[in-house]
Amino acid sequence: MSSGSPMRAIVLAGQRPGTANPLAMRFGVANKCLIPMQARPLIEHVLATLGRHPRIGEIHVSTDADSAPAIAEAASRAGGNVKVKLVEARDSLSTSIAAAAEGAAGPLLVTTGDHVLLAAAAIDSVAVTLARADVVVAMTRRDAVVAAHPRGQLRFYEFSDGAYADCRLCGANGPDALKALALLTDGGRQLRDPSQIGNLLGMTDRLKLKVNALSLEAVVNKIGRKVGVEATPVVLADGSQAFAIENDLTYGITEQLLTQRPG
């Protein structure tokens, strides 16, 4: 376990065949990651943040063939000194992550191509926590979310130590930890659907979870041990890290917060 090695950032930016995102359709693009914000595709903002971060050594973008040319253009404009490689997305998010992680020698950082508000401090928090864990999942508390904007994120997970939101940011110490990463992220959709978290636990723990008798850390630790790794959450102070662009409202909130950021 080490937080000192350069990280490979994996950006999930695929569009499933036969599906259409309503917000993307309204903006006239096929892939949600290509929706414009401040005259730049969403993914360009993400790549710019990753490309200038000193901990990031390389960026692999998992995407579909139709979106690849536009994403390659966005990558060329994003700036930074980090090489961006496009990798063909697979049938599921877990297999797409595995394909984008192939050949990685150091730690991995995984995020999404529409995570416009991704902050350097959040990347640092995941990297530092990887010094003591195989898998790290970034979360933030409800009060931090409300402080950033009361309507920016409405999906929370209730634990004994409070309510948390998923930040769509996680890390793994190399490909061997990807199995756990798939369980703890959208690979299994567990942290997108609170009702599914209990399916990863034993019967006794499921009952405890149902009555909010388990902490966030206890749940993540238990899921990690199930697949033989050390897994832990990192709780980010910046509630905006949980904001997802799902509709016109959250698009507007994200653009407002992005405008208010220095630089």
Side-chain angles (χ1 to χ4, degrees):
M1 303 179 189
S2 173
S3 63
S5 303
M7 305 181 77
R8 175 184 294 183
I10 295 174
V11 181
L12 300 173
Q15 177 68 35
R16 293 178 181 176
T19 63
N21 180 275
L23 193 60
M25 291 178 63
R26 191 173 75 73
F27 278 96
V29 295
N31 189 318
K32 179 183 177 184
C33 299
L34 298 174
I35 292 173
M37 180 173 286
Q38 297 183 353
R40 306 168 76 187
L42 301 182
I43 193 169
E44 188 174 330
H45 293 280
V46 180
L47 296 176
T49 298
L50 293 169
R52 62 176 176 259
H53 197 287
R55 294 184 186 271
I56 304 301
E58 55 184 345
I59 302 171
H60 284 198
V61 179
S62 175
T63 191
D64 56 281
D66 291 340
S67 304
I71 289 178
E73 283 188 30
S76 69
R77 295 189 302 264
N81 298 316
V82 180
K83 182 180 178 181
V84 178
K85 177 181 179 180
L86 304 190
V87 180
E88 183 180 358
R90 303 302 197 261
D91 293 337
S92 69
L93 286 171
S94 57
T95 54
S96 293
I97 292 173
E102 187 174 352
L108 304 166
L109 182 85
V110 183
T111 191
T112 58
D114 61 342
H115 198 342
V116 176
L117 295 176
L118 177 64
I123 297 171
D124 285 331
S125 294
V126 171
V128 170
T129 309
L130 278 174
R132 57 182 176 84
D134 300 307
V135 173
V136 173
V137 179
M139 306 286 281
T140 188
R141 295 183 182 274
R142 176 157 50 195
D143 56 355
V145 170
V146 173
H149 195 288
R151 300 185 69 188
Q153 173 60 267
L154 302 177
R155 184 186 290 116
F156 297 96
Y157 309 91
E158 298 284 349
F159 299 98
S160 63
D161 56 336
Y164 294 85
D166 170 28
C167 293
R168 295 171 297 135
L169 180 68
C170 50
N173 265 307
D176 290 344
L178 289 179
K179 182 178 179 181
L181 195 64
L183 287 176
L184 287 161
T185 63
D186 261 352
R189 300 196 67 81
Q190 279 77 14
L191 288 183
R192 290 291 186 194
D193 184 355
S195 66
Q196 296 299 309
I197 297 176
N199 294 338
L200 300 173
L201 303 171
M203 183 178 296
T204 301
D205 287 331
R206 283 201 299 271
L207 292 173
K208 290 180 179 179
L209 183 65
K210 190 172 183 180
V211 296
N212 298 336
L214 289 175
S215 68
L216 168 65
E217 185 169 10
V219 170
V220 176
N221 290 167
K222 286 174 181 290
I223 294 172
R225 286 197 295 271
K226 184 174 182 179
V227 291
V229 301
E230 289 291 328
T232 188
V234 58
V235 179
L236 304 178
D238 180 0
S240 74
Q241 295 305 289
F243 291 5
I245 299 173
E246 303 290 354
N247 49 41
D248 288 331
L249 173 64
T250 50
Y251 177 93
I253 291 170
T254 300
E255 186 172 37
Q256 174 190 344
L257 294 179
L258 185 65
T259 301
Q260 294 171 352
R261 279 189 171 179

